[in-house]
Every structure is written in C-alpha cells, then in structure tokens.
Amino acid sequence: DPPVFGGGNPPAQSNDSTPTFVFSGELSATFECSLSTGADAFGPCTAPFTAASQPEGVYAFKVRATDQAGNVGPAATRSWTLDLTPPAAPSLVTPPALVTNDATPTFAFTGEPAGTFSCSLSTGPDAFAPCTSPSTYPAQPAGAYTFKVRQTDVAGNPGAVTSRSLTIDLTPPAAAALGALGPSTGLGVA
C-alpha cells in the first residue's frame, strides 16, 4: 500500500515556500520523497518532510515506501500550487461623494476572483474586518473618514490597500437671513 497522508499538509494552493508534508506507512519501512514541477526525483526522506524553499509553481509531492524485504510500494501523491504573488489592489467601483450627507456610506469594489476582502472605515487607526462588496456601513457621526479595502488571495497573499477619503457632513446650512428693507425707491403704482 502507498503511504498515507496525515493532517497538517499544505492546502492545494498556498504561499508557504517551505511546506511540510505529514505521512505514514508500513512499520519499519523506509521512505523516498520527490517534490517537483516535472520529472520525479526521489530521494531518502523521513516523516514529516519539510521542503527547502521553492519558487512559485505547480508541484507534485510524492512519497513511496520500501519494506524490510526491499519491495518498493506505489507512491502517494499530493498536488500543490505555490503562489507568492499578492493580488492587485482592489478597484473602487462606486464610492460615495467626497463630501456627503449620507451617514450610511456604501462602497462597491472588485478584485481577484475567489479572494477575500477586509475593509476599514475610520476616523483614526485602521479597523479592518472581513467584508464583501458592496459594503454599507451603519449610521456614522459627522466627521472626516478614510475607507480602506484590501484583498487576500486564495493562497493567503495579502494585497495592497485601496483607500478613499470622505467627509460626512450632517449639519444643514444656516437659515438665510432676510435683511431690512431699504428706503423706498420712489417707484409706486399710480
């Protein structure tokens, strides 16, 4: 039987350039491992196996066991994509006006497919929290705000932040004052 993979192995897509693979096999068997983007290159290994730093690519990790009699078993395979490239900064699609009287601003944005977003709307330090597009915030007091959004791709790479400033102005203008009527112009109705 081929070795069996245990828990703790990298997900199918990851940004861990030195992944660890956990596996087990027949008692007293020895193992050979191969981590490659092409032809297999088996070499002696032990469980768990931690790879040396790897460049981006699509990899196949294979492990096979040899029993005490010298019989080589079939390899167990785990595919894995190493992605070290962060996503581009999200694009704001429909941001609110720079000065608005809408106390519940809505921000729509787009990014790389299948990633997750974090947003912050604050008057001070960032307060990032998971979000989706469009994001509508509950009623905010008047003030100067900064909205920020960033995306993390499926491999776990955080991207650059996109930001937008806005001012929520909830104060209506002062009532227009009517001045005193000036002297008569002498125009009258005859």
Side-chain angles (χ1 to χ4, degrees), residues 34-80:
S34 172
L35 178 63
S36 69
T37 58
D40 294 336
F42 282 98
C45 65
T46 57
F49 173 80
T50 299
S53 185
Q54 302 294 313
E56 278 193 329
V58 178
Y59 291 85
F61 174 75
K62 296 181 181 181
V63 58
R64 63 186 179 196
T66 302
D67 66 17
Q68 286 184 328
N71 299 308
V72 178
T77 303
R78 186 159 181 113
S79 296
W80 162 68

Side-chain angles (χ1 to χ4, degrees), residues 46-186:
T46 57
F49 173 80
T50 299
S53 185
Q54 302 294 313
E56 278 193 329
V58 178
Y59 291 85
F61 174 75
K62 296 181 181 181
V63 58
R64 63 186 179 196
T66 302
D67 66 17
Q68 286 184 328
N71 299 308
V72 178
T77 303
R78 186 159 181 113
S79 296
W80 162 68
T81 299
L82 175 58
D83 174 4
L84 300 173
T85 305
S91 298
L92 291 177
V93 180
T94 54
L98 293 174
V99 177
T100 181
N101 65 352
D102 182 357
T104 60
T106 298
F107 297 87
F109 43 87
T110 62
E112 191 175 282
T116 59
F117 294 96
S118 296
C119 297
S120 171
L121 179 67
S122 68
T123 59
D126 294 335
F128 281 99
C131 62
T132 57
S133 180
S135 282
T136 300
Y137 285 85
Q140 303 291 313
Y145 290 83
T146 301
F147 171 78
K148 294 182 179 180
V149 58
R150 67 178 170 213
Q151 183 177 29
T152 301
D153 66 16
V154 174
N157 298 303
V161 172
T162 296
S163 64
R164 167 81 176 217
S165 296
L166 76 146
T167 299
I168 297 176
D169 180 357
L170 303 175
T171 306
L178 296 176
L181 296 177
S184 176
T185 59

